Amino acid sequence: MKNLKEVDVVLVGAGWTGGILGKELSEAGLRVVCLERGGPRNPADDFTVPRMRDELALAQRHSMMVDPNDQTETIRNHATETALPYRRLGSYLMGTGVGGASTHWNGHTWRWNNTDLKIRSMYEEKYGKKFIPEDMGIQDWGVSYEELEPYYDKFEKVAGISGKAGNIRGRKDKTGNLHEAPRSDEYPLPPLEKSLAGELFEAAATAKGYNAFPRPTANASRAYTNPDGAKFGECQYCGHCERFGCEANAKGGAHMTVLPAAQKQPTFELRTHAWVTKVLRDASGRKATGVVYTHIVTGEEYFQPASVVVLCAYAINNVHLMMVSGIGEIYNPQTGKGLLGKNYCYQTGAGATLFFEDKLFHPYFATGGIGMTIDDFFANWDFDRAPHGFIGGSTIGAGMFGGRPIQYRPLPPGTPAWGSQWKAETAKWYERAMGIGASGSVMPNRGNFLDLDPTYTNRFGQPLVRMTFEYKDNEKKTSAHAAQVINELAESMKPAKLIRATTRNSWNSVPYQSTHNTGGTIMGTNPATSVTNKYGQVWGVDNLFITGASLFPHNSAYNPTGPVGALAYFAADIIKNVYVKKPGKLVDA
């Protein structure tokens, strides 16, 4: 193993959080090395047409995603089962390479407010302590919306979010989300154009008294230059957003915003094909000394010493690196002891497909974030959960994300699986169908967790993460409620045929659902109940920080990228303005 020259900060991962920390810390004059397991990406070379129209390679064979032959997880629903490897990407799709998943995401960007960040306090105050099940380990995050608001605003402007505010400093606007927390400013870009599906959904939702608004998303509705000088093209509604790079440079991502800005600094270095396998500590165990990584092309192993180590990888990978580095105690569901891997969460939902004889939706004119949404059953604190018996809720919306020919084949019930009638029905309904979908929250449960698999290993001989996850009663009730609302809306729209929404009762790793895996290194106010403080600083190893969704003590109905970005800026400010001036101490101490 070759020892390298020490730097001020080493970052593990070059996605949104690695890019944000890299830019902010290098601009402050700190010497920063960012290690990315995947390869380099240059939109001008890599995201060109016709390459970015190859649905088979990109959407079906996942060529921009992590290769499960190199790194994956083992999966089971219950601790009594034997976990098996996730050998083919399905339920979630982890990115790899410079920019991470931000190169091929849809762009949905939400602000999580105090109903998430102070979840236990607010639910206990409104519904009483007994409303929270004993096996549901929800807890306050230790940070408030008011603290994060400036960082939400900064991230939205950097990422080029299109949307419509519903609450600016207490001034409400029903064309935006009336249930959002107060914002200091409007979105940097106006909403995307409405699709026919969105218009029909908006009319149906409004007729029932709901507040429909454009989904906030990192798809630029206009040409835009962000505060750092990154230039965005205007979204072309090409229908190739999720699982694809953007040839128009219209989809905000780390690869075209914060990382290029960081690379302008002489104190920043990005190294690709660098797979970090371990965080090392000194003899006391209370100080991280750096990381060990292997260059996966040459096979050479290096030790990169650093004064500060920041884990900026995907949520599951952050948890894995902490576990294989022996930092902290792995959670044991039988004893309740240990914190690493605890509070692993995912998302739930429901969906309906509507078929119309007299409407053409042109599904190929689409983008990742187009559509209209209602938030009446999640952020709306006036929505009474007591009759339904669940904590959390769902957002519900409609829009066209991309009618690509392999993946998109809406067919009504009773259609033959093959033959001339199948062809005729496919041709008929391709342009005449739309969907209504829900994204639902998932609360932590004693029986859902991550640990290390006793059998299977990765290419370096390290045990894989073992994922134990199943929907519990809370999530089944959340999904059932969402399905009921969806079906009522769908029926009011009077489609010719309808595939009704149903309750999602069990998690299956095969069909895609969302790449919103959270928890495992949760944040909080107490080392007895959390891995880090509110800045992502690890209790007991004060120069080790963690970023990303592994910090989340539960999962929201919202997509996670908004708080991922805000918390990264929050941590960057603390590291450069407080910690490096007085190293060796907890920031809150």
Side-chain angles (χ1 to χ4, degrees):
M1 182 167 62
K2 182 177 180 180
N3 292 329
L4 302 175
K5 184 178 179 180
E6 184 175 1
V7 295
D8 296 317
V9 183
V10 62
L11 308 173
V12 181
W16 266 125
T17 63
I20 289 170
L21 270 292
K23 173 188 175 295
E24 295 295 307
L25 300 183
S26 63
E27 286 183 346
L30 298 174
R31 294 166 298 153
V32 179
V33 166
C34 183
L35 302 173
E36 167 55 44
R37 180 174 65 185
R41 283 206 179 106
N42 178 4
D45 298 324
D46 299 328
F47 296 166
T48 56
V49 175
R51 182 176 182 179
M52 284 298 111
R53 295 292 185 272
D54 190 340
E55 183 188 2
L56 181 62
L58 294 160
Q60 303 304 121
R61 295 177 177 169
H62 309 126
S63 63
M64 292 182 71
M65 317 301 176
V66 68
D67 184 349
N69 291 312
D70 290 332
Q71 177 75 36
T72 189
E73 300 77 49
T74 62
I75 289 174
R76 60 185 180 178
N77 291 116
H78 304 283
T80 55
E81 300 170 344
T82 299
L84 295 174
Y86 183 49
R87 296 189 185 277
R88 183 174 180 178
L89 299 180
S91 178
Y92 54 92
L93 306 172
M94 290 197 292
T96 189
V98 171
S102 75
T103 61
H104 51 73
W105 66 320
N106 262 338
H108 304 179
T109 305
W110 299 86
R111 295 184 174 200
W112 297 25
N113 62 31
N114 285 334
T115 57
D116 277 312
L117 305 176
K118 298 182 178 181
I119 187 169
R120 177 168 282 274
S121 297
M122 292 187 68
Y123 274 87
E124 286 185 351
E125 180 180 352
K126 183 170 183 176
Y127 298 102
K129 292 184 178 181
K130 292 183 178 180
F131 190 72
I132 303 172
E134 290 185 5
D135 60 357
M136 182 187 292
I138 58 171
Q139 63 187 52
D140 293 354
W141 293 32
V143 68
S144 69
Y145 173 81
E146 290 72 24
E147 289 178 281
L148 291 184
E149 198 285 330
Y151 300 103
Y152 279 129
D153 183 70
K154 183 172 185 176
F155 180 69
E156 289 168 355
K157 288 172 178 171
V158 167
I161 307 302
S162 299
K164 177 60 186 149
N167 184 350
I168 299 180
R169 300 186 183 92
R171 298 193 309 274
K172 300 291 187 76
D173 185 338
K174 66 179 181 180
T175 62
N177 185 1
L178 291 174
H179 307 298
E180 70 176 348
R183 307 164 51 90
S184 59
D185 203 359
E186 182 58 89
Y187 285 100
L189 289 166
L192 294 164
E193 300 295 330
K194 292 181 182 178
S195 65
L196 176 58
E199 290 175 344
L200 293 176
F201 176 83
E202 180 183 18
T206 302
K208 289 189 174 294
Y210 304 142
N211 167 225
F213 58 92
R215 181 184 289 108
T217 184
N219 311 141
S221 60
R222 305 285 186 275
Y224 173 68
T225 302
N226 82 0
D228 299 321
K231 296 187 181 299
F232 292 65
E234 182 176 346
C235 179
Q236 301 299 298
Y237 301 87
C238 70
H240 292 72
C241 212
E242 78 283 0
R243 310 186 188 190
F244 299 83
C246 182
E247 83 279 357
N249 229 36
K251 182 166 60 176
H255 62 291
M256 49 83 69
T257 56
V258 286
L259 282 167
Q263 288 176 298
K264 293 178 182 177
Q265 303 302 316
T267 55
F268 178 85
E269 181 185 356
L270 173 62
R271 298 177 194 157
T272 57
H273 302 299
W275 188 317
V276 176
T277 55
K278 195 170 186 179
V279 178
L280 297 187
R281 290 174 290 165
D282 66 8
S284 73
R286 299 186 60 83
K287 179 184 177 182
T289 56
V291 300
V292 175
Y293 74 92
T294 298
H295 191 285
I296 59 176
V297 175
T298 66
E300 293 181 273
E301 189 177 50
Y302 299 90
F303 172 60
Q304 177 59 67
S307 300
V308 176
V309 176
V310 188
L311 306 190
C312 302
Y314 190 72
I316 297 173
N317 295 334
N318 280 344
V319 178
H320 184 247
L321 191 52
M322 289 286 285
M323 289 179 175
V324 297
S325 299
I327 303 173
E329 183 179 356
I330 296 175
Y331 173 67
N332 183 329
Q334 294 181 328
T335 64
K337 294 182 179 179
L339 291 165
L340 287 180
K342 187 180 180 182
N343 285 38
Y344 171 73
C345 294
Y346 190 53
Q347 277 186 318
T348 186
T353 306
L354 296 72
F355 301 85
F356 296 87
E357 296 275 4
D358 58 346
K359 293 177 174 60
L360 297 177
F361 292 97
H362 305 305
Y364 38 82
F365 290 122
T367 186
I370 197 170
M372 300 295 287
T373 300
I374 60 173
D375 201 3
D376 297 75
F377 304 107
F378 185 67
N380 179 14
W381 197 235
D382 292 330
F383 166 53
D384 188 5
R385 276 83 168 169
H388 307 285
F390 63 74
I391 290 171
S394 303
T395 61
I396 298 171
M400 308 303 290
F401 298 142
R404 299 182 293 272
I406 299 175
Q407 191 173 355
Y408 186 72
R409 296 293 176 109
L411 292 168
T415 303
W418 198 248
S420 59
Q421 188 178 347
W422 176 85
K423 292 179 181 178
E425 295 287 298
T426 296
K428 176 179 180 179
W429 295 114
Y430 172 73
E431 290 212 69
R432 293 178 172 85
M434 63 166 280
I436 301 176
S439 174
S441 59
V442 168
M443 297 299 121
N445 184 277
R446 186 185 183 103
N448 290 335
F449 59 95
L450 305 174
D451 63 356
L452 292 177
D453 193 274
T455 304
Y456 296 96
T457 59
N458 65 13
R459 63 189 295 179
F460 295 101
Q462 297 174 311
L464 300 181
V465 165
R466 179 171 60 180
M467 178 187 297
T468 305
F469 179 78
E470 181 59 292
Y471 294 128
K472 306 302 182 182
D473 287 344
N474 189 80
E475 285 64 56
K476 294 174 186 178
K477 292 175 181 177
T478 302
S479 179
H481 174 263
Q484 178 184 345
V485 174
I486 289 171
N487 289 331
E488 290 172 354
L489 286 166
E491 289 166 359
S492 75
M493 296 163 69
K494 296 182 170 36
K497 298 185 179 184
L498 172 64
I499 300 176
R500 295 172 59 84
T502 58
T503 303
R504 193 177 289 178
N505 286 317
S506 183
W507 178 65
N508 185 330
S509 67
V510 176
Y512 181 76
Q513 291 147 75
S514 82
T515 307
H516 304 153
N517 314 77
T518 65
T521 65
I522 57 177
M523 61 192 292
T525 59
N526 189 327
T529 58
S530 57
V531 175
T532 81
N533 64 15
K534 66 183 180 181
Y535 305 112
Q537 186 180 26
V538 175
W539 303 111
V541 188
D542 60 77
N543 68 330
L544 175 60
F545 290 77
I546 303 174
T547 64
S550 64
L551 296 174
F552 297 4
H554 71 277
N555 205 358
S556 174
Y558 294 151
N559 301 52
T561 311
V564 164
L567 286 167
Y569 279 115
F570 190 47
D573 267 4
I574 287 299
I575 292 172
K576 68 183 182 181
N577 295 324
V578 179
Y579 181 78
V580 296
K581 295 178 180 177
K582 293 183 178 181
K585 294 182 180 180
L586 286 168
V587 173
D588 284 340

